[in-house]
Amino acid sequence: MSLSRDAFVDEAISRVLTQYRESPRLLGLIRYDIGKIADVAIEIEDIPAVFDIDTAVGDQLTLLGKRLGWPRCHCVCVIPPLFGYPCEPASPNLTIVGYCEDAVFDGCYAAGSGDICLADDDVYRGYVKARRYQALQRYNIDDLQSAARHIWGNTAYAVNMGQAKACVAPGRALTDAEIRELPLAFRVLPFAPGITT
């Protein structure tokens, strides 16, 4: 519903008591003040559209994410250990261990730690939409699949593997940025407590 300034003012003036309607100065003052209120009401009417999760951008989207408990920046350790055989030259960003060895991190590597900030609005919007399922505790497999599709697109799928296990896959090769964001995806996807991923 779109407000009309003139209709708003006329409706307010119609409520003025009869004995005061014969004072043009009082009506002019009321009309001026109500007009200012109408201007504010018209501006306020646009606020819900600006904070729609599907169309919000920039700071508005950031505020929506914060309200849902999902800020733009997250601290993560993004380089997991690999199991395999060492090759030359070894990459300083990977820890290679044998099949029977335990891999223990003293900390993250400089290249694999720190903040991951979701600067792109479309990427961040997908994570915020997935967060809605987690915030509402919608833990069924269909909702898990829907949340994964917000992050990775329509090729993503989720499978209930039984025995308190679930599997989520993007259904396509991930980009380098998506690989770095993988820990965030598993933080935001709505896995029920006790479910092994």
Side-chain angles (χ1 to χ4, degrees):
M1 181 178 111
S2 181
L3 286 176
S4 164
R5 186 180 195 277
D6 293 334
F8 189 92
V9 171
D10 290 341
E11 196 274 327
I13 292 292
S14 70
R15 294 181 181 191
V16 174
L17 296 175
T18 306
Q19 65 252 30
Y20 301 114
R21 286 192 189 176
E22 296 186 18
S23 173
R25 290 184 180 167
L26 178 62
L27 286 177
L29 179 67
I30 292 171
R31 187 175 293 279
Y32 175 80
D33 290 341
I34 296 295
K36 293 295 184 185
I37 293 170
D39 292 340
V40 171
I42 290 168
E43 289 295 319
I44 288 174
E45 188 179 39
D46 294 335
I47 289 176
V50 172
F51 284 94
D52 183 348
I53 199 167
D54 292 323
T55 58
V57 294
D59 288 339
Q60 289 85 8
L61 186 58
T62 302
L63 289 172
L64 284 171
K66 283 182 180 178
R67 295 305 177 269
L68 282 169
W70 192 256
R72 278 196 190 257
C73 293
H74 300 267
C75 182
V76 295
C77 176
V78 295
I79 304 295
L82 294 179
F83 292 91
Y85 302 102
C87 300
E88 295 300 331
S91 171
N93 295 331
L94 302 175
T95 299
I96 301 179
V97 297
Y99 292 117
C100 298
E101 297 175 50
D102 289 330
V104 179
F105 281 116
D106 291 334
C108 295
Y109 292 108
S113 67
D115 288 342
I116 292 181
C117 292
L118 303 170
D120 183 87
D121 282 343
D122 291 330
V123 171
Y124 184 58
R125 185 183 331 278
Y127 280 88
V128 171
K129 285 182 175 184
R131 172 67 179 145
R132 292 182 308 177
Y133 294 93
Q134 191 182 56
L136 294 171
Q137 298 179 352
R138 295 177 60 177
Y139 295 133
N140 66 54
I141 199 72
D142 293 331
D143 289 335
L144 178 60
Q145 180 165 305
S146 295
R149 286 185 174 177
H150 286 302
I151 295 172
W152 293 312
N154 290 332
T155 59
Y157 60 91
V159 178
N160 180 351
M161 301 178 72
Q163 299 177 352
K165 294 179 183 178
C167 177
V168 176
R172 61 174 172 78
L174 295 175
T175 65
D176 289 341
E178 289 172 329
I179 290 170
R180 283 190 301 274
E181 295 164 2
L182 206 52
L184 299 182
F186 280 89
R187 283 185 194 173
V188 78
L189 288 172
F191 290 104
I195 297 294
T196 305
T197 60

